[in-house]
Amino acid sequence: MIVDTLLLRLGGESGIDNAISAGDVLTLSAARTGYHVHTFRTYPAEIKGGPVMFQLRVGVEPVPSLGDQLDVLLAFNEEAWDLHHAALRPDGILVYDPGEHDAPSNFQGTAYAIPLDGMAGDLNLRKGKNLIALGALAALLGFDFPELQATVKDLYGRKRPEFIESNRMALLAGYQWVRDNILEGSPIQLAKPHKADERQLVMSGNRAIVAGALTAGCRYYAGYPITPASDILEEMAKRLPEIGGAAFQTEDEIAAIGSVVGASIAGLKAMTATSGPGFSLMQEMLGLATMAEVPLVVVNSMRAGPSTGMPTKMEQADLNIALYGGHGEAPRIVLAARSVEDCFYQAMQAFYLSETFQMPVILLADQSLSHRTETLPMPDTKMVAVTERMRPEADDEDDYQRYRLTESGISPMGVPGFDPTPYTATGLEHDEYGAPNYTPEMHTAQLDKRGLKFEVVADALCGLEPPLGCIDYGLPEDQAQVGVLAWGSTAGVVREAIEELASEGYPVTALVPAVINPLPADRILEFAQGLKAIIVPEVNRTGQFAAWVKAHTELPLISLNKYGGLPFTPAEIRDKVLEHLTAEPTEPESKDQPEEEVAHG
């Protein structure tokens, strides 16, 4: 059977089976061949040991989510079968190592016992078992074997050229074993990819954030390593010196954001990234940036909490602290990236907003999105304007008022050493010159100035079009009965579920905003008109986004919450929507499709 979409999962032991690195190789190879890819991974918080999983969804058309039931499970050990077999289709394919475990007697699908460990021993390549497995999968499922070989050589040959031949032998051993021993062929073969009309990129969410930040002009980064944001620090440390910037690993997150505040005051576009525990530590400095009206960007890649929580699992539970964290009334802009491609654009938008309105911007991602790998078209770098903060004019030199009360709330920001306009940047309440001032009149005026500036932000963002503003899926709202209102990385599964239901004739629609604060309440109210039910799926227990929307719109919303550390699947969204549909589906358009070409995953 030829399928145009395939969902594959590799499970094994951390530090032994190298399932994650094997998945990365297969993903890049598939993308180079011309397929669209979408990945998901989980791994233990410990440095070594514990179960890991890598999931790859690959298709001839774009794949917006991680999918539902597995077509193929490669279980390096028995624990991998125990953990993941429930996700495997009843008629799916199991690949296992008979030296590690046996196929369950009640398994109704197709099981292939491939002696991965034995072949690794024969080749004296104990750490090459994962490459042997990749060769076998290529032969079983129809992946391009020469491209797989080229990818392995490119990834590993440059660092360790002495292993080029052994890697080649490992891949070939697995590939040839399948060709020699599985004569009937696999029941599933992946269709050949379409020839791409334009260049495709393959990257993770974290790397897309870095690319967007650098394109926007970020030239200073400070951070402390923390899962799942550490990739941003590593990539910035690699890229910034190449373009005249600087990256600094600090002793903790407080020092990181303090360094970023200082760099921004000195005139640089500056950024830091962290996860929940580090973000908690940054709240006082975020208040300072608000009070001193300092532009900066903070990326919070959310993970399951509280406290240390589950460092390698995803959650959307830091929304409240992003919106309300800190003392006093300190407005900040909050954005939420929805896909790897969106990570690029929202990082650019974060810098545009921060520099324009001289205030902190928080960009929310999560473990799933940060570490997810997707194919995406070459980004349009002109989608977001690259802007600079307002600087003093020559007339300001004699009487420079850094915090001058203006109609927009925005006042010129001088750069020490470049502009002849020194001023005091303080966390104390201050007058228009920056000198501390505690009078009720001045506190009221400056608080109103900062609040007015946020109102100008709201006006500027209310009409944003995709991909920067709200994205809608499915039918137009006036033709729908049930709607889904989502945020962040849940966008992909919502898109797939809603578009599938709409194609079947169900009256459904969805809306996913990128700007969370200020909330596009008018657009959400427009979306809600005529809908009998609005479902809000979130990967948290308390429905934080639903509560935020209710506070601004008073809409009756139906929360769908998942909080086990894993993202939603399209089936979970679909099932909840169907619960609230009373209308029968209209007759969907007929689609002529050869019987042997079936979509899976």
Side-chain angles (χ1 to χ4, degrees), residues 72-74 92-98 103 107 110-115 140-141 177-178 181-188:
V72 182
L73 171 63
L74 170 56
I93 295 174
L94 169 65
V95 178
Y96 69 99
D97 189 339
F107 179 59
T110 303
Y112 294 118
I114 302 178
L140 277 174
L141 304 174
W177 191 95
V178 170
N181 293 276
I182 304 179
L183 303 179
E184 72 278 10
S186 168
I188 297 177

Side-chain angles (χ1 to χ4, degrees), residues 259-520:
S259 178
V260 167
V261 169
S264 182
I265 289 173
L268 294 177
K269 292 182 180 178
M271 167 182 160
T272 186
T274 186
S275 191
F279 190 60
S280 299
L281 294 173
M282 292 181 177
Q283 295 308 308
E284 185 177 358
M285 281 290 181
L286 279 171
L288 169 61
T290 302
M291 175 64 85
E293 300 187 38
V294 178
L296 60 88
V297 173
V298 179
V299 176
N300 178 13
S301 181
M302 298 176 287
R303 69 193 208 187
S307 187
T308 308
M310 297 193 294
T312 60
K313 302 295 187 290
M314 71 92 69
E315 209 162 72
Q316 292 180 300
D318 290 355
L319 180 58
N320 281 345
I321 191 174
L323 296 169
Y324 302 114
H327 58 282
E329 294 181 300
R332 73 278 295 264
I333 300 168
V334 180
L335 309 176
R338 297 162 291 195
S339 65
V340 171
E341 182 180 17
D342 200 42
C343 283
F344 177 88
Y345 292 121
Q346 297 308 329
M348 285 198 71
Q349 181 164 232
F351 276 94
Y352 172 82
L353 295 172
S354 178
E355 293 291 320
T356 300
F357 298 103
Q358 300 175 20
M359 62 194 308
V361 176
I362 298 164
L363 174 56
L364 295 176
D366 57 56
Q367 183 273 330
S368 170
L369 180 54
S370 285
H371 290 166
R372 176 195 305 171
T373 301
E374 292 182 31
T375 43
L376 59 148
M378 186 67 70
D380 181 0
T381 57
K382 296 180 180 179
M383 184 69 69
V384 183
V386 176
T387 189
E388 306 294 333
R389 65 194 64 171
M390 182 189 293
R391 298 279 287 275
E393 301 289 342
D395 296 342
D396 295 322
E397 185 174 341
D398 295 332
D399 186 32
Y400 177 52
Q401 300 177 34
R402 166 66 186 100
Y403 302 104
R404 186 174 67 223
L405 304 178
T406 65
E407 292 184 2
S408 66
I410 305 168
S411 48
M413 183 177 183
V415 176
F418 292 90
D419 296 313
T421 50
Y423 70 96
T424 300
T426 176
L428 295 169
E429 190 56 278
H430 45 259
D431 62 17
E432 293 174 284
Y433 293 93
N437 187 308
Y438 311 138
T439 64
E441 294 79 12
M442 187 54 65
H443 180 54
T444 300
Q446 290 294 334
L447 203 60
D448 285 344
K449 176 185 188 296
R450 296 186 288 270
L452 172 62
K453 186 166 57 172
F454 196 72
E455 292 173 13
V456 175
V457 173
D459 290 339
L461 297 180
C462 66
L464 276 180
E465 296 295 327
L468 300 179
C470 296
I471 296 178
D472 52 83
Y473 305 116
L475 298 178
E477 295 102 74
D478 59 357
Q479 300 177 28
Q481 183 187 93
V482 173
V484 175
L485 179 63
W487 69 284
S489 65
T490 303
V493 291
V494 168
R495 173 185 176 183
E496 183 161 337
I498 292 300
E499 289 185 345
E500 183 181 73
L501 286 168
S503 71
E504 295 171 4
Y506 289 99
V508 294
T509 187
L511 185 73
V512 189
V515 181
I516 307 301
N517 193 32
L519 186 74

